[in-house]
Amino acid sequence: MSNRGNHNCGGVEAAASAAGSRPSAGDTPATTKRPIHHIYVHIPFCARICPYCAFYKDLLDRSQTSRFCEALLEELVGRDHRARHLMPSTIYFGGGTPTALNIAQLELLLRGFHERLELSELVEWTIEANPGSVSARKAALLKKFGVNRISLGVQSWDEKLLKLLGREHNVQQAEESFQILRDAGLGNINVDLMFGLPGQTDDQWRATLEKTIALQPDHISTYCLTYEEDTEFFLRHARGEFRQDADADAEFFEMTMGTLENAGYEHYEISNYARPGFESVHNRAYWLGKDYLGIGPSAVSTIGMQRSQNVCDYRAYIDRALAGQSPRESSENLTDQMKRTERIALSLRTRDGVSAGELKDLSTETDELVTLGLLRQSNGNFILTPKGKALTDSITEVLL
């Protein structure tokens, strides 16, 4: 499990790594005549750097944010993408903290997308938000320009754990931010939560789940803390200050499944629960292996059999984009085997499971997993049982 599930296809990159792929420097991705229906936008700015986060981010620099927004809009229709047919059904602004941008910058960006894209087929526009950067004016602006889904990074309803995580908000701010978004008419709100935190107790996690349910969000994402390289938490773990307890994490996970499903949330992906009809359309596109375009520093694109990534430095990104140069830093050609590996790894995490046809050469393994009560067959697919969901990573290793 990863700390965040909504970023630009970290699961796909992990699956590709399992398949043995390695990115290499290259030119821009090949153009395609097929429309691109899914766009991810990476906005790396944060008011504070969380000690557990391994995604590309940087402290907010107000002197650079307007130029950064202009660079995003330039890349959107720049040299790389003019030959492509962009007709998004989903747009996802991730980070970082997209709502760290001020009102004028958000309006520049949102208006720019409307002016440059055909949005008649858009069904879902998501923006990640931190409670410390939500205001009534920003919420109204998002609503005005067609943003219809918010992913709110609450992480915990416990003050001590919020301080441990280095979050800039407190519990009251998080609750107020949720209500501000609701009052603005934003009817599809996801709440991000984390478990497996150092010192976290069953009672703390149960209270966080119950508090979240009481607010009645439409979607809840729950992630187990992992100690990622290049983070402060990784160093503290390496020094022995923090320890990961797999058994305790499994208990948290099982509590989460039981509590949220009993409250009417459907467990449609290992880390994601939704009220019927509120599943993330954008993230489901990743899990189904659809093409997607990533713009912004560090953003990944997968189009056809080619994957590329932008430079992981927002200053270099700005300079390249505004100079009309490609911000791409690396690219790789995917193989059929790599794509198959990704389909298995990502599909297994979902409630629909993996097609039996994908696993026909693994009958010994699947038979054993069924016998152990970790997989079951339904409608021609292999699906994780509740017992198997707690062992997703291990089962994936067996099948790959």
Side-chain angles (χ1 to χ4, degrees), residues 7-235:
H7 280 290
N8 194 20
C9 224
V12 165
E13 291 170 6
S17 178
S21 66
R22 301 187 65 174
S24 58
D27 297 325
T28 62
T31 58
T32 177
K33 294 181 180 179
R34 294 180 299 177
I36 296 174
H37 296 299
H38 308 285
I39 300 176
Y40 173 82
V41 183
H42 191 71
I43 300 171
F45 302 116
C46 294
R48 181 185 298 177
I49 301 299
C50 295
Y52 58 86
C53 179
F55 291 105
Y56 172 66
K57 71 280 182 189
D58 210 326
L59 288 172
L60 182 66
D61 183 347
R62 292 292 182 193
S63 69
Q64 295 294 319
T65 46
S66 291
R67 292 184 71 238
F68 175 78
C69 292
E70 293 169 2
L72 286 177
L73 295 175
E74 178 58 34
E75 188 195 1
L76 184 65
V77 294
R79 186 187 73 179
D80 287 0
H81 306 145
R82 287 193 186 108
R84 299 201 187 126
H85 184 194
L86 300 179
M87 185 169 283
S89 58
T90 70
I91 300 173
Y92 194 107
F93 282 16
T97 310
T99 50
L101 299 175
N102 64 30
I103 293 286
Q105 292 153 1
L106 278 172
E107 181 165 3
L108 171 67
L109 202 51
L110 295 170
R111 188 182 300 279
F113 269 65
H114 276 273
E115 292 172 348
R116 290 162 175 79
L117 294 176
E118 168 57 62
L119 297 180
S120 62
E121 294 186 5
L122 187 68
V123 296
E124 182 184 273
W125 193 340
T126 302
I127 287 186
E128 291 182 354
N130 278 349
S133 60
V134 171
S135 69
R137 289 183 63 204
K138 285 184 182 179
L141 181 74
L142 299 179
K143 174 72 174 176
K144 173 185 175 181
F145 280 97
V147 173
N148 57 10
R149 185 173 185 271
I150 304 292
S151 186
L152 188 65
V154 173
Q155 312 310 351
S156 176
W157 295 105
D158 185 276
E159 297 286 10
K160 291 182 179 179
L161 292 178
L162 286 176
K163 290 180 180 178
L164 173 71
L165 291 171
R167 304 297 289 174
E168 61 173 331
H169 68 273
N170 57 35
V171 169
Q172 181 179 345
Q173 286 176 311
E175 189 166 2
E176 290 174 350
S177 295
F178 184 92
Q179 195 57 52
I180 285 170
L181 295 169
R182 276 288 193 241
D183 291 345
L186 291 159
N188 188 352
I189 301 177
N190 170 60
V191 170
D192 260 359
L193 303 173
M194 294 176 64
F195 63 87
L197 307 179
Q200 187 178 33
T201 66
D202 287 353
D203 287 344
Q204 285 174 317
W205 181 237
R206 184 178 295 106
T208 281
L209 291 174
E210 291 173 352
K211 170 72 172 179
T212 303
I213 291 168
L215 290 173
Q216 298 185 328
D218 311 282
H219 190 287
I220 301 172
S221 297
T222 64
Y223 303 109
C224 183
L225 173 68
T226 55
Y227 294 93
E228 306 280 1
E229 290 189 37
D230 300 321
T231 67
E232 180 186 328
F233 269 27
F234 179 83
L235 295 176

Side-chain angles (χ1 to χ4, degrees), residues 253-288:
F253 180 74
E254 290 171 6
M255 182 194 302
T256 304
M257 282 195 295
T259 303
L260 295 183
E261 288 177 342
N262 287 339
Y265 291 89
E266 296 183 1
H267 192 195
Y268 74 103
E269 196 270 348
I270 288 298
S271 300
N272 291 279
Y273 302 77
R275 295 195 181 280
F278 286 93
E279 298 88 350
S280 171
V281 181
H282 185 84
N283 287 339
R284 280 176 63 85
Y286 289 153
W287 304 330
L288 292 172

Side-chain angles (χ1 to χ4, degrees), residues 95 213 264 292 378:
I213 291 168
Y292 58 90
S378 176

